[in-house]
Amino acid sequence: MSQAGAGREVPAPGRAEASVLRRAAVAEWGPLLSTVRSALAVRKLRAIPVTLAAVCLTLVFQCVQNQAWGYRAVQDIGAIQAWEHLWLALLRTPLSLFVPALDLPVWGALAQILVVFGIAEICVGWRQTLGVAYLATLAGTMYARIGIWIGPQSPVGLADADKYVLDTGPSAAVVGLAVYVCWRHRAWFTCGAVVAAMVLEVVFIKNNLAGKEHVAAVLAVLAVCLLREVCRPRTPADPGPVSGWEHPR
């Protein structure tokens, strides 16, 4: 019998599958993680000054609102309820995402801001980070009013009692930023997973104001992403989107 292939190593099935998964992970997250790692290695915490300021502001709001003398002050500058005048809600919206929800642990809000805001600030710059965060939060604020107007008879509507729910916290901004960063860095699987998770959250887990606001935030950010793709200038050498990352200017 021929022994030509006797010395050739045949990869084990498990090793081959691991190699495929590794290549897929590198293609999905490699450019993004490389950008974050390089920025933190060179500049350390100086790479995320806005994120650190947001974390500190959230912590200050949490400490103040837990005091008898500070609860009302925090509500007056950062708490939103859909029954209030729209102009008042719009004034409070920028700060509302830094006011932790009273029924959720503050460490969750701090972790979300530190990780997602930090990655976004490094990958797309602080201006776009704040802009997308505000857009996502504003989308949730506006949806609350539209949903109550539609009413609970519709799957996209809300019950009248939701107008009295305190609408604060960074979750809508975090979800919107996750979608935006994944889209910009062509992490399509992760982007789709985030969108699907928000829809499944509403359908099976949290069919309430918070869950539906997350979907509204995702839709608003996806609309911006699509608009960027349509309006992005094309050149003969650049016929369309390519994989990889673009360093923020």
Side-chain angles (χ1 to χ4, degrees), residues 69-178:
W69 53 266
Y71 175 79
R72 188 70 262 165
V74 172
Q75 299 303 300
D76 288 341
I77 64 176
I80 297 174
Q81 292 176 292
W83 65 268
E84 297 174 317
H85 291 295
L86 178 59
W87 65 266
L88 185 59
L90 294 178
L91 286 175
R92 292 176 175 175
T93 296
L95 287 178
S96 69
L97 68 94
F98 303 114
V99 179
L102 294 173
D103 59 341
L104 296 176
V106 66
W107 61 262
L110 295 176
Q112 289 178 7
I113 293 173
L114 182 62
V115 174
V116 179
F117 273 61
I119 292 174
E121 184 174 359
I122 290 172
C123 293
V124 301
W126 68 267
R127 291 181 179 85
Q128 291 187 53
T129 297
L130 291 180
V132 172
Y134 177 71
L135 170 68
T137 305
L138 182 62
T141 298
M142 297 306 297
Y143 161 75
R145 295 166 182 274
I146 296 172
I148 291 169
W149 177 75
I150 293 173
Q153 67 275 6
S154 170
V156 299
L158 293 169
D160 189 67
D162 285 324
K163 70 172 64 173
Y164 303 110
V165 175
L166 280 176
D167 186 11
T168 61
S171 56
V174 165
V175 170
L177 281 171

Side-chain angles (χ1 to χ4, degrees), residues 27-40:
E28 180 77 5
W29 301 306
L32 189 151
L33 293 180
S34 176
T35 304
V36 173
R37 185 169 55 247
S38 299
L40 291 177

